[in-house]
Structures are given as C-alpha cells and as structure tokens.
Amino acid sequence: MMAAPRCFIVLLFAFVLFSTEVKALSSNYYDQTCPNAEATITKVVKKAMLNDKTVPAALLRMHFHDCFVRGCDGSVLLNSTRNNKAEKDGPPNISLHAFYVIDVVKKQIEDLCPGVVSCADIVALAARDAVALSGGPTWAVPKGRKDGRISKATETRQLPSPTFNMSQLQQNFAQRGLSLDDLVALSGGHTLGFSHCSSFQNRIHKFDKSHNVDPSLQASFAASLLNVCPAHNKVRNAGATMDSTTTLFDNAYYKLLMNGKGLFSSDEALLTNSRTKRLVSKYASSQDEFFKAFASSMIKMSSISGNGQEVRLDCRFVR
Ligand code: HEM
Ligand SMILES: *[C@@H]1O[C@H](CO)[C@@H](O)[C@H](O)[C@H]1NC(C)=O
Ligand SMILES: *[C@@H]1O[C@H](CO)[C@@H](O)[C@H](O)[C@H]1NC(C)=O
Ligand SMILES: *[C@@H]1O[C@H](CO)[C@@H](O)[C@H](O)[C@H]1NC(C)=O
C-alpha cells in the first residue's frame, strides 16, 4: 500500500529537481550560441535613447511588469489577439511604451542567431542597459529564460498598486520571493520616468476623512502636484516626473522621499516601517550603497521564474 505513493513522491521530487535544473539561468548562456547578443542590445538601446529620452524608464518598468506577472517570461510583450486581451492592454498599462525598441533588437538578433535568444532575456538585458546608460550601476544578467505563451489583461491586477501600504507591498513582494530589502532597493527604480495624475490622485484629492491632501506631503510639493493635477483635470497625459532628475539614474528618489516629496503612497509607505525607513535613509546618504543593493535586487527580480517553453521569433506573437 505504501510503496506506490512513496515511489510517486520520489518521482515527483526527481521531476522538481530536474525541472529547476533545466530552468537555471546562467551569465554565459549565449556565449556559444549568440556571442554578440548583448552588444547588439546595448547598441540598439543606446541609439533609441538618443532619439527618445523616455526609453530607459519604459524599458525598466517593462521588465518589472514582465517579472511580476507570470514570472519573467516575456508575457508583457505579447499583442492581444481576436480572442485574448493581453497584459499590455490591461488597466495599469498607462505608461508602458517603447515596445518598438524590443522589436528592433529582436529583428537584429534574429538575423545573427535565429531562434536562439528569448524575448524575456532581451527585456532583462535591455532594462540593465537602460539603467547603466542612464548613469546607474551595471550587473551581469543571468540568462536562459524561455518565453511564455499566455498573457492576460486581467492578471495585471497582480501588480502592486501605487496606493498600497507597507503590509500590502510586503505581501506582494514576498509572493515573488522578494524581501523588504528588495522592496526598498527596487523602489529606487522610481528615479527614472514620469507618472500620470491618476497614479497619485489619492494623495491630493479626498485623501482621508480629515484631510484633502496627504499630510505627509511637503506643502510646496503638494501645491505643485495640485497645480498640474487639479480635481477636474482636463489635460490628457498630465502628471509629474518621478523625481527631480528624471533621466538620471541616481539616489535623488530617496533624498526627496525623506523630505516629503515621494510621489506615490507606495513610496511614502517605505517610511512607515523601521527597517525600510533605515534603508531609505542609508540610500539617501550613499549612492554607492543604493547602486550595490539595486543591482543585486534586480538580479533577484529578473530571476523570478515563469513557465515559458519557447523562444519566440517575433516578441509580439507566440510561435
Ligand atoms: C513597489 C511597487 C511599485 C509600484 C506600486 C509602482 C507603481 C508605479 C506607477 C503607478 C507608475 C506610474 C505609471 C503612470 O502613471 O504613468 C510607475 C512608474 C514607474 N515605475 Fe514603478 N512601481 C513599483 C515598483 C517599481 C519597480 C520595482 C520598478 C523597477 C525596478 C519600477 C519602475 C518604474 C519606472 C521606471 C517608472 C516610470 C515609467 C515611465 O516613465 O515610463 N517601479 N510605477
Ligand atoms: C500589436 O499591437 C500594437 C498596438 O496595439 C499595434 O500597433 C501593432 O500593429 C500590433 N503588431 C502587429 C505586428 O500586429
Ligand atoms: C491600456 O488599457 C486600456 C484599458 O484596458 C486600453 O483601452 C488601452 O488601449 C491600453 N493602452 C495601451 C497604450 O495599450
Ligand atoms: C493596509 O491596507 C489593508 C487593505 O486596505 C488594510 O487591511 C490594512 O489594515 C492596512 N495596514 C496598515 C498597517 O495600515
């Protein structure tokens, strides 16, 4: 009676071991099969940034969204089809853009080494380049991700919301194997880019029963946000830069946060826990410490495994 289930468990264990082995990422994954892949990506990202300074922020956020829904499997890149609304057409897609940069990279890499380099790896490498080319740290990206075949708009609900408090953020990150330390370091990605009014309106209109404006916002900063985002805002695409140096990857985000100039409730939340508050203060005073922590947390985030099985030929479509 006992033999069958035990045998099953042994088999299951072997299968789990085997499948994690297959999925293990490595830094030299394309050394033999596509040695020029990384240089090609860097060249394309560099050129795209010259034409459009919003590209680096877009590529960094794209990688975050990819990894937080179904793991880093390129699901964020898939186009909707007649029967399926894809992630990129889901609600918090408002600032996702620059997919064309991935298309340009993919086309060039397909000419070099057809069917070898996954779209998920391209996004991870492009995000790394975007950070490094904006003045931030660089790191070796583990590679070997496979592309998934599923992308559903409804699953973007799994992304953290800018109105999240500390416990919600902590839980959302923990579900993906990311710690409070990762949360603080990765939130530093908000040193790049732009936000629409809708993402921080909760802080400046009807904040709570006794305040219209979040009292933790510094007064003149709150006034400037109210000025660009009045209650009945008619300006399409109105909003604010994520920090004061929007195209420079630096530690200004943490300095501003400590001065009541964090943009989202989720940024402000980092000051509500003693451990995360201490880290915010550490990164505000040492860009070096921030860069080291960011690089190591990015490697963790970009290693969230998905169920991808293939290498797409066109990043917008399954094979
Ligand atoms: C901690 C949870 C997070 C929340 C709640 C959050 C939320 C948001 C929101 C609401 C926006 C603005 C969207 C808009 O209104 O246009 C945004 C922008 C951005 N986020 Fe996050 N985010 C989080 C974590 C991250 C992480 C981990 C990264 C990358 C490491 C990241 C990178 C960015 C970047 C670069 C932008 C600017 C995008 C652009 O200008 O195109 N965020 N985020
Ligand atoms: C994918 O979707 C985008 C935006 O919805 C559209 O502009 C593009 O033409 C589509 N790509 C292809 C190859 O159909
Ligand atoms: C974002 O999602 C909305 C709502 O699902 C959709 O109508 C819109 O086309 C999407 N926008 C982009 C830029 O993909
Ligand atoms: C965070 O938000 C959740 C959901 O709204 C709530 O249940 C919880 O009490 C909040 N936690 C704190 C510490 O405010």
Side-chain angles (χ1 to χ4, degrees), residues 79 88-89 314 316-317:
N79 259 24
K88 64 163 73 149
D89 294 321
D314 177 330
R316 294 176 186 264
F317 302 99

Side-chain angles (χ1 to χ4, degrees), residues 7-48:
C7 173
F8 175 69
I9 287 167
V10 168
L11 271 176
L12 186 73
F13 189 63
F15 175 73
V16 169
L17 262 185
F18 178 70
S19 56
T20 47
E21 195 166 47
V22 165
K23 279 185 187 157
L25 305 178
S26 75
S27 300
N28 56 5
Y29 193 80
Y30 296 117
D31 282 5
Q32 307 303 320
T33 52
C34 198
N36 293 322
E38 295 207 20
T40 303
I41 296 170
T42 308
K43 193 184 67 201
V44 172
V45 172
K46 208 181 251 175
K47 192 167 169 213

Side-chain angles (χ1 to χ4, degrees), residues 301-314:
M301 182 181 88
S302 79
S303 304
I304 301 173
S305 63
N307 284 314
Q309 301 290 338
E310 64 183 26
V311 170
R312 278 177 221 147
L313 301 177
D314 177 330

Side-chain angles (χ1 to χ4, degrees), residues 57 61 64 95 97 160-162 186 190 192-196 199 264 266:
R61 187 164 197 236
F64 160 55
S95 75
H97 63 287
S161 154
L186 292 171
H190 289 165
L192 292 181
F194 175 85
S195 165
H196 296 79
S199 302
F264 304 144
S266 60

